[in-house]
């Protein structure tokens, strides 16, 4: 694959399909392993000012002066991106490093492959590591389409078929976690393991009933268009506010419990995506047409179809998705290993040393089993 001469960047969109659960803040410490078993809708008020930047980064430039985490190698930044793949006529960016058993990393909302800056080099010492930018984010094309969770599922499934072409483990943070889950269900013959880091998604409400009523003339031709105009104006204002460096830094310091990794590299990497010509429109569509229509896609509906081992690598101090969600997933899907980290919403970037160790320990068992199955 060849690199592009210009880079598309993603809008700093809302990072979760969830409600905040915890507002506790502590410093990260040790990993707590739970024994391995057998083998929220959005708060609209917080769209741009609270959650817009938490999980995602598409790194800005190599001229940034921030130093990487001591003792942890950081992915070199390339302004033109790394590799590109054409999917359904759209340009998709991805990074690939290392050799061996393949792992595919999937970022969260508003993010890019560069959010795995401290994970790719370390994991690539033993594995072939891919990190892909979802359509509409990072260096992938900012397509003006109707976004739906199944769009990203199809993208990841086709990426596995056309680029990876081997049994694979999927790893996803935030929305990337939910995308990894639905992709694992969509391609069970190739996905042999799944790791979720503070995943998006909600459990279904069995008691909820949906009622549909026919729109009146006033609702359809007067009130609905006025509502859309109002939404667009408000979201344009929030979009402008959210990309200000001081706002970005403030939000990051609320979701990174240890704020030492909230540096200029990180802040600038979130500010830059808003410069894409299509950023505003993609942001609007994600906010109004994707984020508000997620009740049909629930965690339990996909977990009930999952067939591979699951790792939950969970930042317990996440102000949005606390440990209760991880515990509920483990209870629902017993073939789960749960690793608790004293970190916030993005444990892979906040405490990369601990996240990398937990992933490598778990991956060693998955890769061994996958290799034995191939030789049978």
């Amino acid at each position: 694959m060849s690199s592009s001469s210009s880079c598309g960047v993603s809008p700093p969109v809302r990072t979760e399909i969830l409600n905040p659960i915890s507002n506790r803040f502590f410093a990260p410490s040790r990993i707590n392993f739970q024994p391995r078993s057998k083998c929220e809708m959005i708060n609209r008020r917080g769209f741009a000012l609270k959650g817009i930047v938490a999980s995602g980064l598409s790194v800005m430039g190599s001229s940034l002066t921030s130093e990487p985490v001591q003792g942890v190698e950081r992915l070199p930044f390339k302004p033109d991106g790394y590799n590109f793949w054409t999917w359904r006529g759209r340009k998709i960016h991805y990074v690939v490093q290392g050799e061996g058993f393949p792992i595919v990393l999937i970022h969260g909302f508003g993010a890019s492959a560069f959010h795995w800056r401290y994970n790719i080099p370390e994991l690539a010492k033993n594995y072939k590591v891919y990190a892909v930018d979802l359509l509409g984010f990072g260096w992938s094309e900012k397509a003006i389409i109707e976004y739906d969770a199944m769009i990203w599922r199809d993208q990841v499934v086709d990426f596995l078929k056309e680029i990876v072409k081997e049994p694979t483990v999927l790893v996803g943070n935030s929305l990337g976690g939910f995308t990894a889950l639905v992709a694992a269900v969509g391609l069970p013959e190739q996905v042999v393991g799944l790791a979720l880091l503070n995943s998006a998604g909600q459990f279904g409400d069995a008691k909820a009933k949906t009622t549909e009523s026919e729109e009146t003339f006033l609702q359809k031709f007067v009130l609905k268009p006025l509502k859309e105009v109002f939404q667009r104006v408000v979201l344009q204002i929030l979009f402008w506010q959210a990309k200000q460096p001081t706002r970005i830094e403030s939000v990051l310091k609320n979701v990174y419990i240890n704020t030492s990794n909230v540096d200029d590299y990180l802040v600038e990497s979130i500010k830059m995506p808003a410069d894409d010509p299509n950023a505003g429109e993609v942001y609007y569509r994600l906010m109004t047409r994707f984020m508000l229509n997620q009740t049909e896609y629930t965690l339990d509906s996909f977990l009930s179809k999952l067939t591979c081992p699951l790792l939950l690598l969970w930042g317990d101090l996440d102000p949005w998705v606390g440990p209760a969600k991880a515990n509920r997933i483990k209870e629902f899907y017993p073939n789960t290993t749960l690793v608790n980290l004293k970190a916030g919403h993005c444990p892979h970037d906040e405490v990369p040393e601990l996240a990398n160790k937990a992933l490598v320990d778990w991956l060693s068992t998955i890769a061994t089993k996958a290799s034995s199955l191939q030789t049978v």
Side-chain angles (χ1 to χ4, degrees):
M1 295 290 175
S2 60
S3 296
S4 170
S5 59
S6 62
C7 61
V9 288
S10 67
V13 291
R14 179 70 163 93
T15 61
E16 275 293 292
I17 311 174
L18 46 88
N19 281 321
I21 295 177
S22 170
N23 290 308
R24 299 168 295 161
F25 300 100
F26 300 96
S29 57
R30 60 188 176 89
I31 300 177
N32 297 314
F33 284 87
Q34 293 194 10
R36 185 172 180 176
S37 60
K38 181 182 177 182
C39 201
E40 314 149 55
M41 294 299 288
I42 308 168
N43 180 342
R44 295 196 62 178
R45 188 177 181 181
F47 271 176
L49 303 184
K50 180 178 180 184
I52 209 170
V53 297
S55 82
L57 322 174
S58 13
V59 176
M60 178 178 174
S62 56
S63 62
L64 297 177
T65 59
S66 62
E67 294 296 325
V69 174
Q70 188 173 3
V72 182
E73 185 179 351
R74 186 170 69 185
L75 179 72
F77 171 73
K78 291 187 178 182
D80 294 334
Y82 278 77
N83 306 280
F84 291 90
W85 163 60
T86 300
W87 178 68
R88 298 183 179 179
R90 308 288 189 179
K91 186 176 72 171
I92 302 298
H93 172 253
Y94 68 97
V95 177
V96 58
Q97 288 192 357
E99 296 294 335
F101 184 81
I103 308 164
V104 177
L105 309 176
I106 307 173
H107 62 79
F109 241 36
S112 77
F114 287 101
H115 199 191
W116 304 97
R117 53 182 176 166
Y118 291 120
N119 315 108
I120 294 171
E122 182 64 26
L123 295 174
K125 293 177 182 178
N126 298 294
Y127 302 98
K128 188 169 187 177
V129 183
Y130 297 86
V132 62
D133 286 355
L134 298 176
L135 184 67
F137 301 116
W139 274 250
S140 289
E141 187 170 335
K142 308 303 167 298
I144 304 302
I145 62 172
E146 300 304 317
Y147 285 92
D148 181 274
M150 298 302 103
I151 291 291
W152 296 312
R153 177 204 61 183
D154 293 346
Q155 178 193 335
V156 172
V157 165
D158 288 346
F159 184 81
L160 296 180
K161 290 179 178 178
E162 297 180 23
I163 302 298
V164 181
K165 301 178 181 179
E166 297 180 68
T168 309
V169 167
L170 295 181
V171 181
N173 170 237
S174 191
L175 179 74
F178 189 75
T179 300
L181 170 61
V182 297
V185 171
L187 194 64
E189 63 272 22
Q190 191 170 343
V191 179
V192 297
L194 173 67
L196 305 181
L197 290 76
N198 294 66
S199 179
Q202 60 182 340
F203 280 87
D205 184 355
K207 297 179 180 180
K209 294 182 178 180
T210 57
T211 57
E212 295 184 3
S213 58
E214 186 176 348
E215 288 183 314
T216 66
F217 180 88
L218 180 65
Q219 289 173 324
K220 185 174 182 179
F221 295 104
V222 179
L223 298 180
K224 188 174 180 179
L226 285 174
K227 179 183 177 181
E228 291 176 354
V229 170
F230 177 75
Q231 285 178 329
R232 185 174 288 275
V233 171
V234 170
L235 288 173
Q236 284 176 344
I237 295 171
L238 294 179
F239 181 67
W240 179 86
Q241 289 178 322
K243 66 182 182 179
Q244 304 309 309
T246 54
R247 173 61 64 183
I248 293 172
E249 182 176 0
S250 175
V251 172
L252 285 168
K253 287 183 175 180
N254 282 331
V255 294
Y256 275 60
I257 309 309
N258 180 344
T259 60
S260 61
N261 278 2
V262 179
D263 52 19
D264 57 349
Y265 183 125
L266 179 55
V267 172
E268 289 296 332
S269 74
I270 295 170
K271 179 179 180 298
M272 181 182 176
D275 294 332
D276 185 273
N278 288 343
E281 182 61 25
V282 171
Y283 173 76
Y284 172 76
R285 288 172 182 240
L286 288 168
M287 291 301 96
T288 60
R289 305 177 192 184
F290 168 68
M291 298 298 290
L292 299 181
N293 294 284
Q294 294 304 297
T295 54
E296 62 182 300
Y297 305 124
T298 62
L299 285 171
D300 44 305
S301 67
F302 289 103
L303 287 169
S304 63
K305 301 173 185 175
L306 190 65
T307 58
C308 64
L310 172 63
L311 170 67
L312 299 178
L313 187 54
W314 217 264
D316 277 352
L317 307 179
D318 186 342
W320 298 338
V321 194
K325 184 175 184 179
N327 291 333
R328 187 173 180 186
I329 292 173
K330 188 175 188 300
E331 181 181 355
F332 187 92
Y333 190 73
N335 191 9
T336 297
T337 300
L338 174 57
V339 179
N340 302 103
L341 298 176
K342 298 301 180 184
H345 187 64
C346 309
H348 60 294
D349 191 61
E350 183 181 338
V351 287
E353 308 97 318
L354 302 182
N356 289 338
K357 182 181 185 307
L359 277 169
V360 168
D361 289 347
W362 179 76
L363 284 166
S364 63
T365 63
I366 301 300
T368 299
K369 289 181 181 179
S371 297
S372 63
L373 288 175
Q374 283 185 293
T375 56
V376 172

